[in-house]
Amino acid sequence: MTKLIIAETQAIYRAGMARVLAIEEEFRIVAQCQDWSRLYPAVESFRNAVVIVASSIRPQFEALQERARTFNSKVIVILEDTESYASFVSLGVSGVVYRSTTSAAFLDCIRRVVRGEPFVCPGPIAQQEDMVGTRASALLSPKELMVVALLVEGMKNKEIGDRLGTSEQVVKNKLRSIYDKTGVSDRLELALFTLHHRAMATAAAEAGTKLQLQTARATDTPHREVSDAVVSSFSKPGLHAEMV
């Protein structure tokens, strides 16, 4: 079984990546890191692993590559669609994929790297190809996008309700509406749909960030309940369902 270390700054993508990889019996996620300070100890703790790291985490890639070699591990870099792979290839990383890469190509990359075959995705998926994600995210209200963001992070309905200051039943109702608008049938399909479509993933990530800011401001506001602050400003919703 292949050990995987995931390093990604955005929880919404980290959770989505984990969902995709968890379906494959040949892979086991041994560590999930949100910054480079957690990544380096993980590489030292788990030898013979594949390290999947987003370029947005901004580690010192030369040092990371050297450390991975020391512990007999291989590095795959996930690039933003606007980035060039040339500089990363020159560092000797084993694989390069883009944020918009499909799950099938992403999994193929990991399998090739495990076999010792370097893999470089030729380029990001063209923006026009994600019209489905663009249309789906446009159909969802701001509140619904927030529900999507929290769902992709792995929260249950009750946890989502608690986070938004509403009831579990209201969350269930919103999910039914989201299913109808996106054409999916359950939570897992919605998470995968979101992660696979860049436009949808971006909208959900932005909604999740907005919710975090609202919650933080509410916490700093005296004589005001956090849930009330979230609910009163909860007017905008807002993740790649196959993968990155």
Side-chain angles (χ1 to χ4, degrees):
M1 182 174 290
T2 301
K3 292 179 289 187
L4 304 177
I5 297 172
I6 297 174
E8 165 65 75
T9 55
Q10 297 188 56
I12 201 165
Y13 286 118
R14 202 164 58 244
M17 209 183 311
R19 281 177 177 268
V20 171
L21 294 169
I23 298 173
E24 307 298 322
E25 295 183 356
E26 67 203 273
F27 301 134
R28 180 166 69 93
I29 299 172
V30 295
Q32 295 189 48
C33 313
Q34 65 182 21
D35 55 44
W36 65 266
S37 65
R38 292 176 173 82
L39 173 59
Y40 289 164
V43 173
E44 295 175 358
S45 298
F46 300 101
R47 292 174 173 268
N48 306 303
V50 174
V51 183
I52 304 170
V53 55
S55 62
S56 58
I57 209 167
R58 299 300 174 197
Q60 296 179 350
F61 276 98
E62 290 186 23
L64 172 61
Q65 180 68 4
E66 183 59 34
R67 192 165 302 196
R69 286 198 192 99
T70 300
F71 294 94
N72 200 32
S73 293
K74 299 175 181 179
V75 176
I76 295 174
V77 180
I78 300 172
L79 301 182
E80 299 300 325
D81 289 353
T82 55
E83 292 182 294
S84 169
Y85 62 76
S87 61
F88 295 94
V89 171
S90 67
L91 292 175
V93 299
S94 298
V96 177
V97 294
Y98 282 88
R99 180 77 72 184
S100 60
T101 298
T102 65
S103 65
F106 176 68
L107 294 171
D108 182 46
C109 174
I110 298 175
R111 292 179 178 122
R112 290 194 185 198
V113 167
V114 170
R115 294 197 299 265
E117 304 171 13
F119 180 93
V120 177
C121 183
I125 296 175
Q127 187 68 31
Q128 60 265 30
E129 292 185 19
D130 192 28
M131 293 303 295
V132 173
T134 301
R135 286 195 297 268
S137 60
L139 289 173
L140 301 184
S141 70
K143 293 181 180 180
E144 290 171 337
L145 282 173
M146 285 186 180
V147 170
V148 172
L150 296 176
L151 180 147
V152 176
E153 288 186 27
M155 291 189 181
K156 294 180 171 57
N157 290 349
K158 185 178 186 308
E159 293 173 321
I160 294 173
D162 291 343
R163 181 72 176 273
L164 299 178
T166 190
S167 69
E168 182 177 0
Q169 186 57 53
V170 168
V171 173
K172 289 180 180 179
N173 294 341
K174 291 196 175 298
L175 281 173
R176 280 195 289 268
S177 172
I178 294 168
Y179 296 161
D180 289 341
K181 292 177 180 179
T182 57
V184 303
S185 59
D186 57 31
R187 291 168 58 93
L188 178 58
E189 281 190 19
L190 176 58
L192 293 177
F193 176 90
T194 303
L195 294 170
H196 177 59
H197 293 91
R198 174 71 173 173
M200 182 79 165
T202 299
E206 289 174 352
T209 299
K210 176 173 290 188
L211 177 59
Q212 289 180 337
L213 292 173
Q214 290 173 350
T215 303
R217 284 197 296 267
T219 302
D220 294 337
T221 303
H223 311 300
R224 184 177 183 184
E225 294 292 333
V226 171
S227 59
D228 289 342
V230 173
V231 172
S232 66
S233 57
F234 185 30
S235 60
K236 295 191 177 181
L239 200 95
H240 204 341
E242 273 187 22
M243 175 39 254
V244 204

